Amino acid sequence: VTRGYIIAGTGTDIGKTHIACALLRLWRAQGKTCSALKPVLSGVEDGIAVLQARSAATTEAGASEDARFVVPNDAVRLLEAIGQTPTPEAVEKMAPWRFKAALAPPAAAALEGQALDFNEIAAACESALARDCAPRILIETAGGLMSPLTERHTMLDLIERLRQPTLFITGSYLGAVSHTLTGVVALVSRGCEVAGVIVSESAQTAGRLEDFPDVLHRHGVSSSIAIVRRGAETQAMEALGRMDLG
Ligand SMILES: Nc1ncnc2c1ncn2[C@@H]1O[C@H](COP(=O)(O)OP(=O)(O)OP(=O)(O)O)[C@@H](O)[C@H]1O
Ligand SMILES: [Mg+2]
């Protein structure tokens, strides 16, 4: 039986792909077959790259002076994490709906004269979940938990439909506690299982990073919570390895 996990987050650029890739590499290191899907991907420059707003992380690394720069897109990163070569065919399978504009999917699709169909996207996810070749599959949503997916649906509607446990990725920035609690309440209110909350250390942490799990538990989060410090994926793998994902 396929075990699917949805990777959702408080917002874009929070670390969903970082955590997803680390988890995929961890499973592979444990000898578990796994796969991934990023059904809808915005901001794709070409098959390989994605446009991103300049982030603090890259500024630190001394990257380009441009406000936007090009990095490997989520499909490529996920393919590499599962040990597959990111050929155009593989990218197409990993991220079937790709759009140029770095906007929420319905807005990005509209610029290309397209509309997104909720049932088609959900069906693609369901067929990936039904494929028995990969006992574990991660499905990465786009943007935040209630970012628009179509003109009438948000990512949360897709999660509700797929009925797979969610790993909710958040940060440690000022405001992250409220965003996390709001997201968890929204998931629970729709009957979605929260398999875990992962605090991916933000470029700037409000208060003490190690306090986040306690604060979240005290305010009603009952699932397991892990902290992933900024750093290499190997570091994230260790933190995720200590987590009980049920
Ligand atoms: N814990 C972390 N340690 C180091 N780098 C991180 C961490 N979390 C996120 N990053 C970096 O921050 C950037 C944004 O992270 P990521 O691409 O994983 O976000 P995302 O939530 O998947 O965004 P999107 O909404 O575009 O899918 C990436 O360059 C990523 O490598
Ligand atoms: Mg991502």
Side-chain angles (χ1 to χ4, degrees):
V1 173
T2 302
R3 185 84 167 121
Y5 288 97
I6 312 284
I7 304 278
T10 49
T12 188
D13 243 9
I14 197 72
K16 295 186 300 295
T17 309
H18 183 76
I19 302 297
C21 290
L23 192 53
L24 291 164
R25 288 183 201 276
L26 173 72
W27 284 339
R28 283 175 63 214
Q30 294 170 344
K32 294 168 180 156
T33 316
C34 55
S35 169
L37 185 69
K38 171 90 183 188
V40 182
L41 178 58
S42 294
V44 184
E45 169 81 330
D46 54 43
I48 302 296
V50 70
L51 290 169
Q52 267 197 356
R54 188 170 158 191
S55 71
T58 22
T59 313
E60 280 158 21
S64 90
E65 287 298 307
D66 293 344
R68 308 178 92 195
F69 62 97
V70 171
V71 294
N73 70 43
D74 286 7
V76 171
R77 289 162 69 192
L78 292 167
L79 282 165
E80 283 170 349
I82 59 172
Q84 281 188 23
T85 310
T87 61
E89 296 73 30
V91 167
E92 164 67 29
K93 218 173 144 197
M94 179 64 76
W97 286 271
R98 298 179 307 284
F99 302 102
K100 286 202 171 66
L103 295 172
L111 288 177
E112 297 179 33
Q114 294 183 48
L116 287 155
D117 185 298
F118 179 75
N119 282 317
E120 270 182 35
I121 297 167
C125 296
E126 284 162 353
S127 87
L129 284 163
R131 259 181 248 140
D132 57 358
C133 54
R136 281 160 193 258
I137 179 164
L138 291 183
I139 299 178
E140 186 188 335
T141 53
L145 183 63
M146 290 192 75
S147 290
L149 170 62
T150 73
E151 279 169 16
R152 305 266 168 204
H153 302 84
T154 69
M155 301 297 157
L156 182 57
D157 295 315
L158 180 64
I159 298 171
E160 183 179 7
R161 158 91 173 244
L162 297 177
R163 299 199 295 152
Q164 304 295 315
T166 294
L167 288 172
F168 193 52
I169 319 302
T170 184
S172 55
Y173 58 90
L174 186 62
V177 167
S178 175
H179 294 163
T180 311
L181 297 175
T182 309
V184 169
V185 166
L187 283 161
V188 171
S189 78
R190 299 279 197 98
C192 305
E193 178 190 343
V194 183
V197 171
I198 293 147
V199 181
S200 180
E201 185 180 12
S202 301
Q204 297 214 325
T205 291
R208 295 188 330 157
L209 183 63
E210 56 273 28
D211 290 344
F212 274 75
D214 262 0
V215 172
L216 293 171
H217 281 313
R218 254 187 278 127
H219 288 284
V221 176
S222 55
S223 51
S224 98
I225 301 174
I227 290 175
V228 169
R229 291 186 179 274
R230 291 195 82 76
E233 256 165 41
T234 46
Q235 210 172 318
M237 284 168 70
E238 282 167 34
L240 295 166
R242 290 190 291 270
M243 200 174 188
D244 176 22
L245 293 179

